[in-house]
Amino acid sequence: MPCLHKDAIKESLWESLGPTDIESSRRLGYAAIQLLNVLAGELLSAGSSVVVEANFRAGLSEGLLLPLVAKSRAFLIHCHVPAPLALQRYRDRVGSADRHPAHHDLEVLETLAAVLPEYVEPLRLPIPVLAVDTSDGYRPSLAEIVAFAHNAPALQASNPSRP
């Protein structure tokens, strides 16, 4: 099943368009979300399933995702950790060889604590939601997450041919 990652799209844009400052990086992030949405919509319209992964914000991202929800048997797996742990994990990856420079992690770290509350709540969409605490492994377990994904109730979609 295709899996679309916002960060992979943003990093590709950065590689294509060249290095950016923090404000340009934010614009690339917005463009990446728009591309992710278009690509997911195309896959769903072609009859494919798709996993969409990004740092969506409750109260902001729902309007973008509703058309995808209407085309699919959507569900949300909302991963969360306590804010201090999220900050520590972010600090730990700043400057990591695995982290792409498109994200401007050091500059983002300066304001991250202030925006973390925007990511705490799951998206407000008419779909089944599973909250997963990733503080130490997965709670619920990975097996329970997979079972949720397989058994999430199908919603009435605008495309009745979708399973």
Side-chain angles (χ1 to χ4, degrees):
M1 174 181 325
C3 185
L4 301 176
H5 301 274
K6 177 220 161 207
D7 282 355
I9 295 170
K10 179 178 181 176
E11 292 162 9
S12 178
L13 290 170
W14 189 91
E15 294 290 336
S16 299
L17 300 172
T20 62
D21 59 22
I22 188 70
E23 287 308 314
S24 297
S25 174
R26 288 185 177 117
R27 287 192 298 277
L28 283 182
Y30 178 78
I33 288 287
Q34 298 302 313
L35 283 168
L36 181 124
N37 188 56
V38 167
L39 294 171
E42 291 293 322
L43 286 166
L44 291 171
S45 292
S48 178
S49 296
V50 63
V51 173
V52 178
E53 184 278 325
N55 56 338
F56 295 113
R57 293 184 191 186
L60 182 65
S61 301
E62 290 87 351
L64 183 71
L65 295 170
L66 278 171
L68 299 179
V69 167
K71 294 180 179 184
S72 65
R73 185 185 67 90
F75 56 89
L76 173 65
I77 298 175
H78 177 78
C79 298
H80 62 89
V81 297
L85 181 55
L87 283 169
Q88 186 57 50
R89 286 180 177 175
Y90 204 87
R91 278 188 205 97
D92 290 348
R93 72 181 187 193
V94 169
S96 163
D98 296 334
R99 190 70 173 151
H100 196 281
H103 303 290
H104 291 271
D105 288 333
L106 194 55
E107 294 95 334
V108 169
L109 186 57
E110 296 172 11
T111 59
L112 186 60
V115 299
L116 271 178
E118 298 175 22
Y119 297 97
V120 171
E121 295 299 319
L123 299 175
R124 296 178 206 108
L125 293 167
I127 59 176
V129 177
L130 179 66
V132 178
D133 183 340
T134 61
S135 299
D136 183 21
Y138 300 105
R139 284 190 324 252
S141 71
L142 187 55
E144 291 169 300
I145 296 167
V146 170
F148 170 81
H150 284 290
N151 299 317
L155 296 174
Q156 194 67 4
S158 63
N159 182 353
S161 66
R162 294 281 309 148

